[in-house]
Amino acid sequence: MAELLRTNDLGVISVVEGLLAGAEIPYYVSDRNMSVIEGSIGALQPRILVPDEHADEARELLTDAELGH
């Protein structure tokens, strides 16, 4: 699995999930529950992971949506 994104911004995570689902790219949001449990100090950021074979396509999708470089 390749890490696509790491952020505490739930809005960005939601947008990225929508983009990936729309493009039928499988993904997994890691540490989502742990970031809620640990509170607001931001030590654990949720990460969006995609299979290695979809990483380039997913990164291009985010770049096209102006969510990364």
Side-chain angles (χ1 to χ4, degrees):
M1 297 288 276
E3 183 177 310
L4 184 63
L5 176 73
R6 181 186 298 234
T7 183
N8 282 327
D9 189 331
L10 300 178
V12 170
I13 290 174
S14 179
V15 169
V16 172
E17 285 184 287
L19 289 170
L20 293 172
E24 298 183 358
I25 298 173
Y27 67 91
Y28 175 72
V29 181
S30 175
D31 302 325
R32 183 191 314 245
N33 294 330
M34 289 303 295
S35 68
V36 172
I37 291 170
E38 62 89 24
S40 62
I41 63 171
L44 294 173
Q45 294 181 322
R47 299 173 294 142
I48 297 182
L49 307 171
V50 297
D52 292 333
E53 61 270 15
H54 292 280
D56 290 338
E57 179 185 3
R59 287 187 179 106
E60 184 176 339
L61 182 68
L62 292 188
T63 300
D64 291 347
E66 299 182 2
L67 292 172
H69 48 71

